[in-house]
Amino acid sequence: MKSFLTKGWRIAVAALMTSSLLFTAACGTSNNSAAPTAAQGDLTLVIGAYSVAKDAFDILLPKFAAHWKEETGQTITFQESYEASGTQARAIAGGFEADIAALAMESDIDKIQKAGFITSDWRKVGNGGMITRSIAVMGTREGNPKGIHDWEDLTRKGVKVLYPNPKTSGGAQWDINAMYGAGLKESEAKTGQKDPAYAKSFLERIHHNVESLDKSGRASMAAFEYGVGDVIITYENELLARIKKGIPYEVIIPKSTILIENPAAIVDVNVDKHGTRKAAEALLAYLYSEEAQRIFADNGFRPVNDKVMEEVKGNYKTPEDLFDISYLGGWAKVRESLYSPKGVWYQVLAGI
């Protein structure tokens, strides 16, 4: 297991992330808890989102603003903050006045709800509260020089693996869920039942080759593109979006992997404080529209809109043994069994 202490390359990676992957929109803010000030007659919505959503939101938000202007005559602007999902959730729960939270996983939305800022049943909106889907995959360098084909290949000697830190990154938790679930699937195929001990051992063997644990999925991707590691575990949509921009990745879809679902919710306390509920509800509804779902698809996400998914299904492969979070017992069980202080992940991290 490599040390996670600062290395020389991190300075360059940080510069790369700042300049190309994790910048905040010019009209945005970074976790500022102050309420926005709008021009007379105009409106500002505050968006708190996970970093992976940024590229799609850069297109979606101006389009929504144009629709809103046409329908109401009102100019709408945005203050945007993009962070690792766990970091963003803690910021909103701690007082960052986002009107809408768009995060990597429902457990991060739940943190905001438990803090008292979401008072409605956010899962009743749209498709169970989920605006996009994806799957956990592996990305290698062009030509797949290490011959990576499935999770087991990540345990081989000399294979350097990247994924982010689950303390801060929702994407990291999806990655770990995928690997742990694949271990459960393998044990089930061999013995007829899930074996958590086998799944833990499987996760340990992969973790032994982890090169670094970065703050977010975008940070891991920046490191990988700078030359760190042989394989990155990430969202399928991240790799497809980077390939579209000309970055040479090979996408490796494991036999067993997890279906990722990404939620968005109105932060009730904040929209009522800001007087932005009507606009926030309209924006959330827009994210489920065919136009918005096609934009998400253009950015590599799997649409939740059935019609749009039917249109683009040829762009995606269905893994042989795809499972969802319910296979692991749901998020409540996963938080306790994997990510609690005595959970599987922290046992793996501590080598116990």
Side-chain angles (χ1 to χ4, degrees):
M1 183 64 195
K2 302 291 184 184
S3 170
F4 300 140
L5 297 177
T6 301
K7 300 178 181 179
W9 56 263
R10 288 190 177 278
I11 296 173
V13 171
L16 176 62
M17 288 188 296
T18 300
S19 63
S20 63
L21 290 176
L22 288 178
F23 65 91
T24 302
C27 64
T29 185
S30 178
N31 292 348
N32 185 344
S33 61
T37 301
Q40 184 66 33
D42 293 338
L43 188 69
T44 298
L45 280 179
V46 184
I47 311 297
Y50 71 121
S51 56
V52 172
K54 186 183 188 309
D55 291 345
F57 272 48
D58 281 348
I59 303 169
L60 289 163
L61 296 182
K63 285 187 175 292
F64 172 75
H67 291 313
W68 183 262
K69 178 74 171 180
E70 183 178 355
E71 292 174 7
T72 69
Q74 189 176 41
T75 298
I76 191 167
T77 57
F78 301 96
Q79 290 185 348
E80 303 162 55
S81 172
Y82 298 93
E83 291 279 1
S85 187
T87 302
Q88 192 69 270
R90 285 190 293 274
I92 298 171
F96 168 45
E97 294 185 9
D99 295 304
I100 287 183
L103 301 177
M105 55 192 185
E106 64 183 86
S107 59
D108 282 338
I109 298 290
D110 287 340
K111 290 176 187 176
I112 301 168
Q113 187 169 44
K114 288 177 180 177
F117 289 94
I118 295 175
T119 57
S120 59
D121 186 352
W122 61 270
R123 290 178 178 83
K124 287 187 175 180
V125 179
N127 198 305
M130 306 299 164
I131 58 171
T132 52
R133 296 189 182 111
S134 192
I135 60 174
V137 300
M138 296 173 283
T140 72
R141 305 195 185 283
E142 190 172 19
N144 191 7
K146 293 285 186 175
I148 304 297
H149 300 290
D150 212 338
W151 298 119
E152 184 68 32
D153 294 315
L154 304 190
T155 69
R156 297 199 321 251
K157 184 177 181 180
V159 175
K160 298 177 181 179
V161 180
L162 292 184
Y163 62 83
N165 192 328
K167 290 183 179 180
T168 55
S169 170
Q173 292 193 27
W174 282 118
D175 297 339
I176 293 164
N177 294 347
M179 291 180 283
Y180 183 79
L184 290 177
K185 285 283 187 180
E186 187 171 324
S187 68
E188 194 173 25
K190 290 179 177 179
T191 68
Q193 57 185 323
K194 301 175 186 176
D195 183 351
Y198 183 93
K200 177 187 173 184
S201 175
F202 186 67
L203 188 59
E204 283 175 331
R205 289 190 292 127
I206 295 175
H207 186 70
H208 180 76
N209 285 340
V210 171
E211 184 75 357
S212 68
L213 292 174
D214 294 291
K215 180 181 178 181
S216 69
R218 281 292 173 95
S220 285
M221 185 161 283
F224 186 79
E225 291 178 11
Y226 186 71
V228 179
D230 301 308
V231 57
I232 184 170
I233 306 170
T234 188
Y235 298 115
E236 175 191 49
N237 56 279
E238 280 285 77
L239 296 184
L240 294 180
R242 298 302 286 163
I243 290 169
K244 189 174 180 180
K245 291 182 178 181
I247 309 300
Y249 280 96
E250 298 284 338
V251 180
I252 311 300
I253 299 179
K255 175 184 175 183
S256 296
T257 193
I258 196 166
L259 176 68
I260 294 167
E261 296 184 293
N262 312 118
I266 290 172
V267 186
D268 296 291
V269 169
N270 294 337
V271 296
D272 290 340
K273 179 179 181 179
H274 302 158
T276 55
R277 179 172 289 277
K278 183 177 179 181
E281 289 177 347
L283 173 55
L284 190 58
Y286 172 71
L287 296 179
Y288 291 100
S289 70
E290 291 180 14
E291 178 181 77
Q293 289 288 302
R294 290 188 183 99
I295 291 169
F296 279 128
D298 286 343
N299 282 269
F301 290 95
R302 297 186 178 214
V304 299
N305 181 292
D306 291 339
K307 180 179 178 181
V308 178
M309 186 61 198
E310 183 65 24
E311 293 172 1
V312 300
K313 66 180 182 181
N315 298 337
Y316 304 97
K317 295 180 181 178
T318 301
E320 181 179 335
D321 200 2
L322 184 66
F323 57 91
D324 61 24
I325 196 68
S326 65
Y327 180 73
L328 303 181
W331 273 112
K333 182 175 180 181
V334 166
R335 285 195 298 268
E336 179 61 29
S337 62
L338 265 69
Y339 305 113
S340 69
K342 294 183 180 180
V344 169
W345 162 252
Y346 292 100
Q347 292 175 32
V348 168
L349 193 63
I352 59 177

